[in-house]
Amino acid sequence: MARKISLSALTELPGNIWNSIFRNPLPSSDLGRAQTSFTNFFLHIHPVKVNRHTLKPWYTMGLGLITFFLFVILVFTGVLVMFYYVPSTNQAYDRMLDLRSTVAFGTFTRNMHRWAAHGMVAFVFLHMCRVFFTGAYKRPREFNWVLGIVLFLLTLFSSFTGYLLPWDQLAFWAITVGASIAGYAPVVGEQMRFLLLGDTTVGQEALLRFYVLHVAVLPLVITLLVAVHFWRIRKDGGLSRPPEAESEPGLSKETTAKVDLVEKPGEAFVTSAGKKHFGIQGLVRGPFTKVGNVPDNSVFAWPNLFMAELFVLILTIAGLCVLSLFFDAPLEEPVNITHPPNPAKAPWYFLGLQELVSYSAFWGGVGIPTIQVLLLLVVPYLDRDPRGVGRWFAGERLLANTLFLIFVIVNITLIIIGTLFRGPNWEFVSPW
Amino acid sequence: MRLALATASFVILIVHGIIFYDQFFHEWESYQTSYYQQALSLAKTDAERAAVEGRSPKIEQIIVTSFGETRVDRCSTCHIGIDDPRFKDSGHPLRSHPFSEELGDKLVDGKWVRRHKFNDFGCTVCHDGQGRGLGGKYAHGQDHFWPDPLLGSKLIDWRADYKPKLVGKEYMQANCTLCHTEDGFGSTPLVAQGRRLFFGKNCYGCHKIDGLSNGALGPELSEVGKKFKIDYIWESIVDPRANSAASFMPKFNLTDDEVKALTIFLKSRRGMNFSETSLDRYKATLAKGEPGQALIHGGVLTSPPETGTPTAGVAYGERLVYDKSCMACHKLGKFDGGIAPDLSFEGLMRDEDWMMGHFRSPRSKISDSIMPAFGFTDNEYQAMTTYLASLKTPPLVTNPAEIYNSLCSRCHGEKGDGHGQIAVYLDPYPRDLTKVGFMNSKSLERFVTSIRNGVHGTSMPAWGKVLRDDQIHAVLDHIQTTFVKEPRRPIRERKLPEINPIASSSESVNRGEGLFLQRCTGCHGRKADGKGPNSLDMLPRPRNLRNRDFLNSVTDRRLFESLLYGVQGTAMPSWIDYGLTEKEIGDLVNYLRSFDKGHKQ
């Protein structure tokens, strides 16, 4: 008996290990497809079925997903870089030199981290634009928009804190300028700046604070909020889509009528229409994600959604790899406190603000950005018109879209002016 | 989509292939392999062979802890034959470092022994470059951002104009000095020459170097060698405005050899030297004199030592004036530094007491002068004073236009607008002679006095011994017709007190101060130094009322006139129109007079 068991255990060992890890074989039936997404830890955040509209490449352009993948890459490369980094004003720059010269794959890892960080700032902004122009922030997704704005700010802050860590001239003066922008806030400005820097100037205290924020606090907070952000997408019934996307063209409303729940989750249940369904989830508010042969406009996540996501992932990695191969992350002179570069510029995403600051310290540094953020936060609560959801530049949303477009263009223009057209003493120069 | 997916995956694969190739096939590995092969074939004994055979390519590094901050020098990863005399004729990077008695290497029993052992010193202590770098570009400091590229190396992309001058191993003397600071150290003649020039050319008057000088006019140079490359230093010496548009440092007349010596000397200024302790530093700060006073260090001046008889002769003074580069700023004869006043007729304009006082502390005579106090010895001051006082030959000009152009236009400008060549370095700014309002509201007598006696506390000297009265009148006529372009108008008679009718008392001064704070600070500043918030937009600038010499030289009547009726052609308004009474003016005048306690009414 014992011999028999051990023999079969040995022969079946590989298969058993495989099956214990991947509980489902490659699915061939709808049930299998459903279970594949449902029983896998990494896939179970996805719905079993998604609306066809969600999969249209030009609807989302994968912008949110790219942002998320960049974040994952940032965590990964960030941990690698962290093994070599010391947050000390004496050592940080030397460690950068080591990373560049001696550490295996050091340059490439740092390049990937650097460009992914810039990319994340850009893509989180583009994602926000997509959500606005498709009206996706409307009920019931108001709060997810608010979370998105908070994530945008956290991304900026995360990038900003990371900017200081190489401890070169570029980093030092960019943070000096950036932090002084914070100091323009009335009443609490100076205290805020002091709290951030731990000193009156950028120095060892600031380096340590920025390091802790950058490698521990902000990634944790972002991870948590991203989880909530994703969770709410599911609970709000998937991505936004126009009402007509709910049903297949040609199907009348009645055939997609509501499903009566039978009190036996996990078992097959029968709807009033007499069709067989698989109840596989608890009670969900909002539009119910249906499984089975309900004649609606959805397809299985496996493989449709996963292929799309894989596609975005591969594309993101490929783009980043090529970028990191050809362009090295900058490393300028060691910090020289008495010799500021002229002009000293903040990181590019704050150059719009720096440009405004050159006109008015208070309005550019505090007033206008605060107003912009507040307006962004309350957008879904001001715009209560439910029309125009799920379509790019819907005609019903002409006013909102125009206003937002102006906001986007003005900010991008300011950043371009600040980046390319400002020379010594912040005077106008032509980049050509 | 699958095609795109496959393409993108392929791209990732390719990029990783390149990265991996790059990581596993380093340039330095091929150098090391080549070294091992050659060393093996050169090996004569078993021991030599054994020393090579066990080795495989790896990163070599020397950690240097004895010289300043810890250095990690990985140079010998490529320069692996550096200490192997058999490779003395190989090409770079395998070639071994030459031996030389200059560096202290000794020939013992037919074998050279190094004085500076690489295991102790590393490479970058002497050569500069980036020790942590691997691969030529970064290691040699060819990267634009690295502040210490290989000193004097032709590999480095120095600024094009100076590149041929910046190549040569003598530049490494700058780094020798980091340990060998002794003034008489024989192997660093260029540092010593540079140091002599630093004092001889009066650089120290304006620039501070910790432990050497205390000048405050120019940027501090204590750490200049740490922060800047030699091409930047060279360029800043020969063309001060190339790197700082606002610089008014004179262009000194230096030969290339002198510039090189200065560059090397400055490159050796890296803050604390390896041979210094922080205690030495502290002692040096304690030894410092007054700000603006130079600390003359170790007898490095070009002039003869002042021991022996004080040679207060004119010839000695003349040599001092030339040796000490006074003409880098001043004008004298055919030399013109273009920054400071003309000294050609100094003996006719200033007396010896004034000159001595001015040498010791220029601001005691002209309160806003930018001239540094150079801290020469009194003997030297006396000699220079004697020489300058001997300059008593009036100019050979008679025509009023020529007089104006040769004597006045350097400050007041060819167009009479006050923007002369050296005007920006003068405070107060030279008078704009084209302002009709001013020129026609002051009496001819006042102008004549100003020219004849000069204006105290300002750079306007007394021309009375240079020009005869008729010449002064002729020049004034010339100014009237050429610049003012209007005939003189009769001056309106105004009833003004000759002497302040309000007796000076602490109450009066207090009232005056209150009025001053209310009415005057916008332009004249809270300290009455002429630097109020509005002053920047005004020309002529508001008067510095703390200028004691000036204030003591003007009468109460003139102060009353300026305060009551304003100064036409300037921003000073007529305060009688703004409600100030004569009594209040009196209080104000008492307040102004109270700045100088010693002044007697």
Side-chain angles (χ1 to χ4, degrees), chain B residues 255-294:
Chain B
T255 64
D256 275 1
D257 285 342
E258 287 174 322
V259 178
K260 184 193 261 187
L262 267 174
T263 304
I264 292 172
F265 168 70
L266 290 177
K267 186 66 190 170
S268 73
R269 298 299 107 191
R270 296 193 175 208
M272 195 140 76
N273 286 333
F274 303 148
S275 59
E276 270 179 310
T277 63
S278 44
L279 191 63
D280 293 341
R281 260 302 158 92
Y282 180 65
K283 284 177 181 163
T285 48
L286 285 186
K288 266 177 208 164
E290 293 293 302
Q293 295 286 309

Side-chain angles (χ1 to χ4, degrees), chain B residues 399-405 407-409 411-418 431-436 438-440 444 447-448 450-451 460 463 467 471-488:
Chain B
N399 176 332
E402 279 176 32
I403 291 175
Y404 180 85
N405 287 334
L407 303 180
C408 314
S409 70
C411 302
H412 291 281
E414 283 171 28
K415 294 175 188 153
D417 52 7
R431 182 67 69 187
D432 179 353
L433 307 174
T434 60
K435 287 252 160 105
V436 184
F438 180 83
M439 298 303 287
N440 277 352
L444 184 63
F447 291 128
V448 172
S450 290
I451 295 176
M460 178 76 174
W463 296 95
L467 302 173
Q471 286 175 319
I472 291 174
H473 279 98
V475 168
L476 279 168
D477 285 345
H478 169 73
I479 289 170
Q480 197 72 30
T481 51
T482 323
F483 304 134
V484 185
K485 291 177 182 154
E486 272 182 32
R488 288 200 71 78

Side-chain angles (χ1 to χ4, degrees), chain A residues 358-379:
Chain A
S358 72
Y359 307 122
S360 156
F362 170 75
W363 283 109
V366 184
I368 290 175
T370 309
I371 291 171
Q372 284 188 352
V373 168
L374 286 178
L375 279 178
L376 283 175
L377 285 173
V378 300
V379 153

